[in-house]
Amino acid sequence: MAENTFLDLQTARRSFYALGRNVDYSNAELEEMFKNTIKQTPSAFNSQTVRAVFAFGEQQDALWDMIIERMRQVVGDADAFVKTEEKLNGFKNGYGTVLLYTDTDVVKNLEENVPAYAANFYDWSEQTLGISAYSLWLTAREHNLGGNLQHYNPVIDEDLQAAFDIPASWRLRGQFIFGSIEAEAGDKDFMNDDERFISLNK
């Protein structure tokens, strides 16, 4: 990708749904890349509340097969599930998934130990999660990969916790799916600036 400024990366970041496995990086390289991205994400009081689970290749297949079966039970009607299954298989076709969690024990400890800000710590942990997810998205684009962010939590939480021995204090907040870009994203519309921004410098 020729772009190299932050705004270029922001512009290139889109929700890519047609993802494949034509990826030029090893699993170890991808994991290290994403770990460093999360480690460099700012957090209130340097609380580092974000946790992540990485699933590539066979683990990616197993993860999404599990999600597909859970969602099949949730939807119930086989005919109604056809489109949902097609969508879920599209996520499965990606190279990998980063499961993003918040460690609620850290949040609770901060609420107890810094009572003056107790009402803020959960909100701040959500901000940290959002920054981490966005940073992963930009990192993927920087390396010519595409991605999208999904939220099948909390429906899948217990299944994943049991299958992958996820600590009880980790609360699933999103699933970042990534892979090679097999089809470009559609055009993106923007609302009028006058409806979105207020300038005090007039």
Side-chain angles (χ1 to χ4, degrees):
M1 186 169 59
E3 301 90 340
N4 54 20
T5 71
F6 183 65
L7 183 58
D8 288 331
L9 282 174
Q10 287 185 299
T11 303
R13 184 226 56 83
R14 301 294 304 282
S15 291
F16 292 96
Y17 295 107
L19 298 173
R21 300 190 176 185
N22 299 309
V23 174
D24 294 329
Y25 300 95
S26 69
N27 291 351
E29 289 173 328
L30 290 165
E31 195 166 311
E32 189 67 16
M33 179 192 308
F34 291 140
K35 281 181 180 179
N36 287 332
T37 296
I38 293 171
K39 286 164 68 174
Q40 293 301 328
T41 299
S43 59
F45 287 66
N46 195 31
S47 51
Q48 303 174 57
T49 48
V50 173
R51 305 291 181 264
V53 175
F54 305 100
F56 309 141
E58 292 181 1
Q59 289 74 28
Q60 166 80 349
D61 291 338
L63 169 66
W64 284 98
D65 283 342
M66 189 183 309
I67 296 174
I68 288 169
E69 289 311 306
R70 171 55 61 191
M71 295 308 297
R72 191 190 310 277
Q73 295 173 29
V74 170
V75 174
D77 184 278
D79 291 334
F81 186 65
V82 171
K83 288 187 177 180
T84 299
E85 186 172 22
E86 182 180 344
K87 181 179 181 181
L88 292 168
N89 275 317
F91 301 142
K92 179 182 174 180
N93 289 338
Y95 187 89
T97 299
V98 182
L99 300 170
L100 291 168
Y101 290 83
T102 293
D103 191 335
T104 59
D105 277 353
V106 176
V107 177
K108 290 175 183 176
N109 286 337
L110 286 165
E111 290 171 343
E112 293 171 1
N113 295 324
V114 193
Y117 296 108
N120 301 105
F121 283 117
Y122 179 76
D123 289 345
W124 288 341
S125 74
E126 288 286 273
Q127 292 171 4
T128 301
L129 195 290
I131 297 170
S132 294
Y134 187 60
S135 297
L136 290 174
W137 228 327
L138 294 181
T139 296
R141 287 303 293 122
E142 184 181 23
H143 293 84
N144 294 317
L145 302 172
N148 63 78
L149 186 65
Q150 300 301 313
H151 302 89
Y152 285 94
N153 44 290
V155 176
I156 62 174
D157 291 19
E158 291 184 5
D159 293 343
L160 302 192
Q161 187 174 15
F164 306 128
D165 197 25
I166 306 297
S169 66
W170 290 20
R171 184 184 181 205
L172 184 61
R173 305 306 298 133
Q175 303 86 54
F176 177 68
I177 304 114
F178 70 94
S180 56
I181 298 172
E182 302 301 322
E184 292 299 322
D187 292 334
K188 184 176 181 179
D189 296 325
F190 294 93
M191 63 188 297
N192 193 302
D193 283 0
D194 292 341
E195 300 173 10
R196 193 172 187 181
F197 306 111
I198 295 176
S199 177
L200 303 181
N201 304 301
K202 295 181 179 178

